[in-house]
Amino acid sequence: MGIRFRILLFQLIVIGSILMMAAVVYITIRATTYYMQRVQWANNQLEAVTALTVNANRYSEQIAEFLLIGEPERPDYDSARAELEAGFDELEKLTRGEAEFLVGSSQQEDDGDEIFRVTRMRELYGEITKATSEAIDLRSQGRQEDAIRVFRRDIENRFDAEFENILEAARRDEAEEVARTELQAEALWQRLTWMTAALAFASVVLCFVAAFLLARSLMRPIGLLTQGAEAIGRGELDHRIGYDSRDELGALARSFNAMAANQEDQRQRLLDARTDLERQVTARTAELAAANQRLTDLDRLRVQFLADISHELRTPLTALRGEAEIPLRHGSKPEAIYRDALERIVTQSLEMGRLVDDLVFLSRSETDTIRFEPRRTDLVTVVADAVHEGEILARTKDITVKSNYRTDPVWITADAQRLKQALVIVLDNAIKYSPRNGSVNLTMTVADGRAEIVIRDKGLGIPAEEIPKVFERFYRSRSPKASRQPGSGLGLAIAKWLIEKHQGEIALTSEAGSFTEVVIHIPYTDASAASGVSQGDARSFEKKTPRVKTGTE
C-alpha cells in the first residue's frame, strides 16, 4: 500500500467522520426545528381557543344586555359578534395550518378531530345567532318575557352546556399537545445529544487510530533513511538501507542505495584517476609540444603571408608604374589613352587600398581595439544593403545576385556597418569564385530565436581537405584556378571574427567544381518584434542585376 493511498485513506476517514457529525447536526437541527414549530402551532391554537372563550362569554353578555336595554347596546353587540367570528376564523386557520404541517405524521388524525370540533363550534354559533335574532324580534314586538325565555333556553343554556364544554375540551387538548410535544422534543434532544457524543467519541478514536497507524508506517522507513544519510555523511559509502517496501519510501530507499553505490563507484574512479596522473601529465606534455608546433606553423604562415603581401603589393605597384610610364613615352597621346591609363591606375589603387584596409583591420582585431556600436537594428535592412553592394561588385562579371527573404523587420542588437561588412565579404568571395554570367543566391529565414542567412554560389568549389582551413588567417587555396584570383586570404577570417562578435555562427560547406555554401546564424533579441516575421504577410522578392556590356564583349 503506497503512502499516497494511506494518506488518502486517512483523509477519507477524517472527511467521513466530519460528514457523519455534520449529518447528525443537520438531523438535530431539523428535528429541533420540527418540534419547535409544533410547539408554536399548539401554543398559537391554545391562545386562539383562550381568546375565543373570552369572546364567547363577552358575546353572551352583550346579547343579554341588548335584550334588556335595547338599541343603545347594538354597537357593543355587533363588536362582540365580529370579534367572536374573527376568533373562529383565526382558530380554523391555525387548525388547518397545523393539519398541513402534520401531513404524513401520526398526529394528523388528532388534527382531524380538532377541525371537526371547530366545525361543530361554528354550527352552535350559527344556531345561537339564529336564536338571538328570534329573541330580538320578540323584544321588538313588546314580548319581553318571551324574548328572555328564548335567551335562557336557546342561548345561555347552549353556551353553558355545550359551547363552553367544547372550548374547554379544545383548550385542554391544546395544553396537553403543548406538554406532549415539549416532552417529545426533550426526549429527542437527549437521544441526539447522546448519539452526537457517541459519534464524536467514535470519530476521535477512529481518527487517532488511523493517524497512529499512518505515523507508524512512516516513522520506521524515515528513521532508516536518516541513519543512511548520517552514514553516508561519515563516509561509509558501503552502507545500504534495508527497506524494500513497494511504496514511495521503498522507492526512495532503493534510489538512496543506488546513489550510495554510485558515490562509491565514483570514489573508486577517483582513486584510479590518481593512479593515472603521470600518464595524463605525459599526455599534457605532448599536447604542449603540439601547441608549440602549431605556433611554429603559425609563425611560418605569417612569414609566408608577409611574402605574399610583398608580392601582392609589388604587383599593383609595378602595374601602377607601368600604366603611368606608357602615356609618357614618345610624346603626347590622345585623351582616350590617358583616360584608359588613369582608369587602370584607379583600379590598381583600389585593390591596394582594400589590401591595406584588411591588414589594418587584422592588426586591430588582434589587439581588440576595433570599436563596435551595437544598437537595435533591422536585420532585413542590413541584408538588403549588403545585397545592393554585392550587386555592384557582380556587375563586372555579369553575375546575378538573387535574394529571397522576408521583408518584415527582424530586430537585432548589432553594429549594422560591421555586420554588413561581414556579409559583403562573403558575397564578394562568392562573386569572385563564380563563373562569368553565373549567379549567387542569398536567402534568409527566421526560426527558433535566430536568423539564418545562406549564401550559395556555383563556382569553383573547395576541396574537402581545405574546408577546415578556410577561416584561418592568411590561408589561400592551393588549387591553380583559385590561386589566380586576387585576394590576401583574410576575408573569411575577418567575416568569421565579425559574426562571432555578434554572438553568431558561420559555417561553410562545399564541393569542388560544383558549389560553395556559407551559412550564417544571427540571434535576435526582440522576440515580440520578430514574431511579426513569422506571422505577418511574408513577401519574397528576387533581384537580378542587369547585364552590363564591357569592352570585351
Side-chain angles (χ1 to χ4, degrees):
M1 183 186 298
I3 295 176
R4 183 179 300 176
F5 180 77
R6 283 181 243 169
I7 295 175
L8 179 61
L9 181 61
F10 176 73
Q11 291 175 339
L12 290 176
I13 291 173
V14 173
I15 293 173
S17 301
I18 294 173
L19 290 177
M20 285 190 292
M21 292 294 296
V24 171
V25 171
Y26 175 75
I27 293 172
T28 303
I29 293 173
R30 286 290 302 273
T32 303
T33 303
Y34 170 77
Y35 279 103
M36 287 179 63
Q37 290 177 345
R38 281 196 59 187
V39 170
Q40 184 65 37
W41 281 110
N43 281 326
N44 290 339
Q45 284 181 293
L46 181 59
E47 291 175 0
V49 169
T50 302
L52 188 62
T53 301
V54 174
N55 292 332
N57 290 330
R58 181 170 176 265
Y59 179 61
S60 176
E61 293 173 358
Q62 291 299 323
I63 292 173
E65 290 179 3
F66 184 70
L67 291 176
L68 292 174
I69 299 172
E71 288 300 326
E73 290 297 325
R74 181 174 287 277
D76 293 337
Y77 165 75
D78 292 337
S79 174
R81 181 179 178 180
E83 290 179 358
L84 184 60
E85 291 179 354
F88 276 123
D89 293 338
E90 179 65 20
L91 180 59
E92 184 175 6
K93 176 183 177 183
L94 291 173
T95 303
R96 294 189 181 279
E98 185 183 28
E100 293 177 0
F101 176 73
L102 294 175
V103 171
S105 68
S106 61
Q107 302 296 325
Q108 187 174 3
E109 184 177 350
D110 294 339
D111 276 340
D113 295 339
E114 291 178 1
I115 293 173
F116 174 77
R117 190 160 47 223
V118 172
T119 304
R120 178 57 186 158
M121 283 191 290
R122 276 193 179 276
E123 291 176 356
L124 284 174
Y125 169 71
E127 294 175 1
I128 290 170
T129 301
K130 184 177 179 181
T132 301
S133 299
E134 181 181 353
I136 292 172
D137 291 340
L138 291 173
R139 184 186 181 285
S140 62
Q141 294 173 10
R143 300 165 63 185
Q144 183 73 20
E145 292 181 2
D146 293 337
I148 291 173
R149 187 170 51 255
V150 170
F151 170 75
R152 288 178 178 176
R153 186 190 66 216
D154 296 333
I155 299 174
E156 188 175 21
N157 291 338
R158 282 285 185 89
F159 268 111
D160 293 339
E162 188 173 358
F163 195 82
E164 290 185 359
N165 290 337
I166 295 175
L167 287 174
E168 180 62 26
R171 185 169 55 251
R172 185 175 59 253
D173 289 346
E174 293 301 333
E176 290 177 356
E177 184 179 358
V178 169
R180 184 172 61 254
T181 303
E182 288 178 347
L183 288 175
Q184 290 176 350
E186 184 178 358
L188 177 64
W189 178 257
Q190 290 179 356
R191 288 197 303 272
L192 291 175
T193 300
W194 281 106
M195 185 183 300
T196 304
L199 184 60
F201 178 76
S203 299
V204 170
V205 171
L206 182 61
C207 291
F208 177 78
V209 172
F212 174 76
L213 294 176
L214 177 63
R216 189 177 68 176
S217 67
L218 296 178
M219 291 305 296
R220 179 176 174 270
I222 291 176
L224 292 174
L225 287 169
T226 302
Q227 295 175 5
E230 293 174 350
I232 295 297
R234 292 191 299 269
E236 301 174 8
L237 299 181
D238 57 344
H239 182 87
R240 299 293 182 268
I241 297 175
Y243 183 76
D244 195 25
S245 177
R246 299 180 65 182
D247 58 13
E248 290 84 349
L249 290 176
L252 180 59
R254 290 189 291 273
S255 298
F256 187 93
N257 292 336
M259 180 196 70
N262 186 41
Q263 292 292 325
E264 187 177 16
D265 182 63
Q266 287 183 1
R267 183 172 65 179
Q268 185 60 42
R269 288 202 300 271
L270 288 175
L271 294 175
D272 294 340
R274 186 172 61 184
T275 304
D276 295 339
L277 183 59
E278 290 185 1
R279 180 181 56 80
Q280 293 180 9
V281 169
T282 301
R284 180 66 65 182
T285 302
E287 291 177 2
L288 291 174
N292 184 56
Q293 182 61 41
R294 286 196 297 272
L295 290 175
T296 302
D297 293 342
L298 180 60
D299 185 65
R300 179 179 57 77
L301 287 174
R302 288 178 179 273
V303 172
Q304 181 64 40
F305 169 71
L306 291 175
D308 290 343
I309 290 301
S310 299
H311 178 267
E312 293 291 340
L313 289 175
R314 185 183 302 111
T315 300
L317 284 174
T318 302
L320 282 174
R321 186 178 62 187
E323 295 294 343
E325 289 177 349
I326 290 174
L328 297 176
R329 295 175 184 170
H330 309 294
S332 61
K333 301 291 189 299
E335 181 182 348
I337 295 177
Y338 290 110
R339 180 177 298 276
D340 185 59
L342 289 174
E343 287 178 353
R344 287 193 293 272
I345 290 172
V346 169
T347 301
Q348 295 296 330
S349 299
L350 290 175
E351 291 293 333
M352 289 183 65
R354 290 184 61 182
L355 179 59
V356 172
D357 287 343
D358 287 347
L359 289 172
V360 172
F361 189 93
L362 175 63
S363 175
R364 294 179 63 191
S365 67
E366 289 179 345
T367 58
D368 202 20
T369 58
I370 296 177
R371 182 180 178 184
F372 279 78
E373 296 181 357
R375 62 188 54 165
R376 192 166 181 263
T377 304
D378 180 12
L379 181 59
V380 174
T381 302
V382 175
V383 172
D385 292 344
V387 169
H388 178 68
E389 293 195 15
E391 291 173 344
I392 296 174
L393 295 173
R395 289 174 184 171
T396 58
K397 296 178 68 175
D398 289 340
I399 291 176
T400 301
V401 178
K402 299 179 180 179
S403 57
N404 190 335
Y405 52 88
R406 298 171 183 263
T407 59
D408 306 75
V410 178
W411 299 106
I412 62 172
T413 300
D415 185 322
Q417 292 300 322
R418 296 298 183 186
L419 187 57
K420 184 185 75 171
Q421 179 183 356
L423 297 178
V424 171
I425 288 174
V426 178
L427 281 171
D428 183 37
N429 260 25
I431 293 167
K432 186 184 300 181
Y433 293 102
S434 293
R436 181 175 291 275
N437 299 320
S439 64
V440 173
N441 295 308
L442 182 146
T443 60
M444 182 178 73
T445 57
V446 178
D448 300 328
R450 64 180 185 175
E452 181 181 87
I453 303 170
V454 179
I455 299 174
R456 183 184 180 96
D457 67 72
K458 298 178 182 179
L460 300 176
I462 302 172
E465 64 275 9
E466 294 186 8
I467 290 178
K469 302 178 182 180
V470 293
F471 291 109
E472 294 180 2
R473 296 178 179 180
F474 323 125
Y475 184 81
R476 294 189 63 190
S477 176
R478 297 296 184 262
S479 65
K481 291 183 179 180
S483 60
R484 288 199 295 269
Q485 298 295 332
S488 59
L490 298 176
L492 288 180
I494 293 172
K496 183 176 185 293
W497 186 83
L498 289 172
I499 294 298
E500 290 176 350
K501 279 292 184 178
H502 287 85
Q503 288 78 48
E505 300 174 355
I506 183 170
L508 183 145
T509 56
S510 183
E511 182 179 331
S514 178
F515 73 93
T516 299
E517 181 177 274
V518 178
V519 180
I520 299 171
H521 291 121
I522 301 293
Y524 62 80
T525 58
D526 191 345
S528 63
S531 64
V533 175
S534 59
Q535 298 176 359
D537 295 333
R539 299 183 302 275
S540 299
F541 62 94
E542 179 178 293
K543 295 182 180 180
K544 182 175 180 181
T545 305
R547 295 187 61 182
V548 180
K549 291 187 178 182
T550 64
T552 59
E553 292 184 326

